[in-house]
């Protein structure tokens, strides 16, 4: 990898690190614009996996032999890297499978211990199902109540509504950093400050933020922050929860099992120190190590540079789509108010059909509810199409995507013929 | 470039001009279906006279495949007995899932759905109206 | 891989598939006898990971584009393979991170819905912490009571005590198939029959069984069966829970999030079909695919052949250790009553010290409580040493291990000098 | 072949002949420590006269490193004031964790523990007695 943030952004050098970008779909080169669903993986991350399994594979923490020491060292080094990447200390970082597990961990471990009948939990209407359903499950077990802050027609969080909801003295505000449908970047720093003033804990869903922009959990000030490795160049099966250390220490464990205990007796057990207390059983060691390698890669390119590059792609996509009268765009129009994705719909073609036809040109976009049925209902659609960008996408790819929309029109007619 | 196998003319025709679309206020029975993967929704209405289906309508939103399939269903069901409807439903389901079945005539609109079989994700779209019918018939 | 179970077992051909076995520890070749903690990975499994990431990586289930279809197909094919490997249908197999998560899933989802104050859950005293602590956590939330069936001085489950405990009409019997300390193979078929007669559900912890012997969950008849991929040649981060389909269907979900829902509204949600209902969020797709490759590998060698090979190694280890008057062996003496591992202690040397000295000869064994503090207390030790075997270990390795015990004696004296 | 760096003679000597091992029924204070990774246990007993430690014992089970370290502790603590004991505890901890510290004399038994530093997993063994002491002193 030869990228240097001090020179120009060398997207071709980056692309050369991603073997899958050589792939063809039928006779077309792959244009992968489904990065909000999952990202592709550079050679360096794949190599980290292979090296781990060919050289140091062992179970961690409990072994005295050389491989076990090396595996433990690699695993804990990865934890320190990932923690540093978001401005946290290693003891505050729990490895999970993904964002979803991180949020469920908080819902079960912190939620069951801290929520009581009638307590208020504040969500927003732009949350991913992963930041809704865990709270519904825990609300059913505890009797807590959920309140949803709406978003405006611009796709921005309704800040007046938020302030009103905070008067209910919620126990928790759980909010996404970046919406995976609208692209909106929420002002999580300000939301955290207000929520803290109202006495609430704050959980931020960072699944769409950490891969795409610099994130510093200390600056945000939130209590919990969740994200997924697979959306940031790392393998599937690894993610993380940051939590303020004193909360981690006070929380009862989530899952029980090996590693997370201090002493087990017939009747009860005591717990290991944080973060191990929250990591029951054999962890996903290799994928954690590879997440460390992904963080190295992202840092070498530079998160500012990545954000800047994606903004250019997003601006171009917004500009091109905005000129089409048969297309509706969702979310903020100003690229500086959003992250690198654009949701849209043909007025007369279902997004499934659009996605299918683009696939025949090698262009991978996503069509569906994007795990955000509440947003869909508000937009009064059942699904949207979404093109989402990452560090290896090019302006030419964005233009090819835009041109391919004409193929959709060829099948369905300029106005869908309906 | 354009996928003729999936988007056969007859499918696009049903999509653009769906037969018997809209609510049926005096339906004898109705059922709602949903494809959780994509959010497509459908409501199916049947009006029966004794054992015979005298009116069928569908409502809802979805992709060309799910809408065309529902439109074909409303046309094909009209005038059948409930038992015949059940047999037709089983036949379409078998065609879409690759199970043994009596093939449809070349010029039967339903025959156009066979192309969907090559698109695993879209099979669920084509099936939506028919699984909703299955549930509705089971409920009787 | 050129192994054919009809000819002799070609351990050298198998070894050639495992890159890590080329490794040297200092000047000694690695002798890896820590397989009960985690297994090594063959080239075929590592290649499956690399191929997935270089060719078909995408998020599953929700995508219309080619990569998403390929990824979904690969993931569901792996599910079918793994299910078939243990005699189950794909719809009954839920992917989890590991055995620990599988058991916690049952404890939270089935346990919170089915256990009431005073209900009895039966465990054994030879359980791994992963099959104890989840029940302690759920007992605390529900008021259920735990009863432990003891084991005899031979390391066998006390079947009279089990029958007595069953008179308490327990709701659940949760028992390990193979003990990771004693090596004991429990008669899970018979236990399940008796427990079912008593009206209990049965969970079997198969972490040490599935990697080492043929397992058929239908023949066992149990309600739940849990195991880990990383102990059976697959990557870390993937495991599975088998559950009888009607139980899966009745159970509420465990974690909430993407994929596992049908319809989400502000107030509540409905669930997807099994097994997706139990798999919230982006699954560990690549490692599931690689677990499929591991199952292919194990089946090509043949589980009967592997079991037979390990029995020879275990018999040799028992024979050699049994001749040493300064060594105590734990668990059944008869190799046919156990799986491929031997726990032991020097009468006068702590197992940590023994393991450390063996490591200096390139021999990796484990020393500790093996996540079984209740067994340790019954044996009146704080830790044991454990040598555990797998398909790639050789009789020569077992003998080298045994000879290296003399190095321990050289440092600590024949009788520990104490 | 045999690791002289870890298993120095003085460590083995303390392990084989632990000083002041066993319960101390008239202890002024005691604390229990445990290494959750391996199950090693230790109980530490101190008897003080005013501010001064007049008797120290340890009991428990563990590997050569944890036992030798505990034995050295009992010898080293004898006769110190509680404040001196605290300083010694910090100095040993610093040595074992690689923090800056005043080195021990070549012929001080505690100096033999320095070799443990190269064995990350064993550091916890060597620390066990000293972290137990830390907790005990904090509780006063
Ligand atoms: C019998 C038994 N049960 C459960 C486990 C836990 O497995 P995992 O750590 O993969 O969840 C193990 C392995 O450590 C085991 O040996
Ligand atoms: C905003 C947001 N939150 C949560 C998730 C869930 O992530 P995962 O499936 O990795 O748990 C996603 C991605 O799908 C997302 O975009």
């Amino acid at each position: 990898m030869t990228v240097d943030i001090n020179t120009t952004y060398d997207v071709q050098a980056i692309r050369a690190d991603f073997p899958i970008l050589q792939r063809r779909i039928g006779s077309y080169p792959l244009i992968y614009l489904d990065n909000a669903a999952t990202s592709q993986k550079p050679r360096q991350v794949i190599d980290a996996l292979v090296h781990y399994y060919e050289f140091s594979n062992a179970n961690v923490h409990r072994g005295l032999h050389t491989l076990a020491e090396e595996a433990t060292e690699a695993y804990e080094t990865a934890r320190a890297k990932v923690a540093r990447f978001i401005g946290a200390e290693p003891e505050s970082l729990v490895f999970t499978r993904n964002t979803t597990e991180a949020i469920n961990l908080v819902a079960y471990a912190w939620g069951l211990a801290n929520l009581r009948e009638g307590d208020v939990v504040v969500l927003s209407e732009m949350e991913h199902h992963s930041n809704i359903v865990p709270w519904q499950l825990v609300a059913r077990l505890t009797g807590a109540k959920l309140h949803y802050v709406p978003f405006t027609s611009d796709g921005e969080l309704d800040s007046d509504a938020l302030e009103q909801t905070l008067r209910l003295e919620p126990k928790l505000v759980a909010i996404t950093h970046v919406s995976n449908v609208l692209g909106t970047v929420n002002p999580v720093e300000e939301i955290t400050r207000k929520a803290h003033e109202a006495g609430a804990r704050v959980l931020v869903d960072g699944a769409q933020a950490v891969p795409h922009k610099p994130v510093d959990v200390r600056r945000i000030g939130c209590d919990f922050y969740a994200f997924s490795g697979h959306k940031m160049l790392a393998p599937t099966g690894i993610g993380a929860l940051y939590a303020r250390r004193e909360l981690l220490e006070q929380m009862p464990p989530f899952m029980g099992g090996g590693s997370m205990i201090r002493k087990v007796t017939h009747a009860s057990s005591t717990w290991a120190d944080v973060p191990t207390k929250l990591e029951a059983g054999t962890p996903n060691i290799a994928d954690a190590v590879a997440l460390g390698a992904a963080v190295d890669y992202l840092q070498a390119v530079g998160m500012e540079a990545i954000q800047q590059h994606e903004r250019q792609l997003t601006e171009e996509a917004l500009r091109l789509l905005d000129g089409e009268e048969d297309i509706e765009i969702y979310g903020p129009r100003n690229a500086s108010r959003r992250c690198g994705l654009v949701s849209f719909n043909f007025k007369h073609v279902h997004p499934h059909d659009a996605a299918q036809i683009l696939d025949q040109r090698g262009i991978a976009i996503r069509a569906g509810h994007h795990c955000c049925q509440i947003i869909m209902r508000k937009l009064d659609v059942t699904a949207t199409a979404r093109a989402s960008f990452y560090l290896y996408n090019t302006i030419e790819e964005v233009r090819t995507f835009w041109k391919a929309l004409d193929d959709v029109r060829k099948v369905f007619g300029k106005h869908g013929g309906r | 470039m354009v996928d003729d196998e999936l988007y056969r003319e007859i499918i696009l025709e049903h999509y653009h001009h769906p037969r018997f679309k809209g609510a049926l206020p005096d339906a004898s029975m109705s059922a709602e279906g949903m494809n959780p993967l994509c959010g497509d929704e459908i409501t199916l209405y049947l009006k029966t006279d004794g054992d015979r289906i005298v009116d069928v309508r569908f409502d809802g939103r979805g992709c060309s495949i799910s809408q065309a399939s529902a439109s074909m269903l409303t046309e094909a069901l009209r005038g059948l007995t409930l038992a015949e409807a059940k047999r037709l439903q089983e036949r379409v389901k078998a065609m879409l899932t690759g199970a043994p079945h009596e093939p449809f005539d070349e010029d039967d609109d339903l025959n156009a759905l066979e192309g969907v079989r090559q698109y695993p994700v879209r099979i669920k779209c084509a099936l939506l109206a028919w699984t909703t019918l299955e549930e509705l018939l089971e409920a009787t």
Side-chain angles (χ1 to χ4, degrees), chain A residues 23 34 37 39-40 43 53-55 57 59 62 65-67 70 97-98 100-101 104 108 125 136 148 230 235-236 254-256 262-266 269 281-282 284-287 359 365-366 371 373 377:
Chain A
R23 201 178 149 178
D34 193 17
S39 75
Q40 299 304 340
R43 164 73 48 219
Y53 286 126
E54 293 193 348
F55 205 72
N57 174 64
N59 212 325
R62 286 158 297 184
H65 55 78
T66 303
L67 295 188
E70 289 176 6
R97 176 169 37 244
N98 49 26
T100 303
E101 191 191 18
N104 278 275
Y108 275 100
E125 289 191 335
Q136 291 180 340
Y148 292 80
H230 70 92
T236 54
F254 175 31
M255 299 198 216
R262 181 173 303 275
K263 187 161 185 169
V264 174
T265 68
H266 286 64
S269 301
T282 303
N284 189 345
I285 308 163
D287 289 334
D359 182 54
I365 67 161
R366 192 143 289 236
C371 298
Q373 292 184 2
R377 236 165 277 132

Side-chain angles (χ1 to χ4, degrees), chain A residues 36-37 98-101 128 130 176 178 180 205 207-208 228 230-231:
Chain A
N98 49 26
T99 305
T100 303
E101 191 191 18
H128 188 279
S130 291
T176 195
V178 173
N180 63 313
D205 171 355
Q208 296 295 346
S228 297
H230 70 92
K231 294 185 199 282

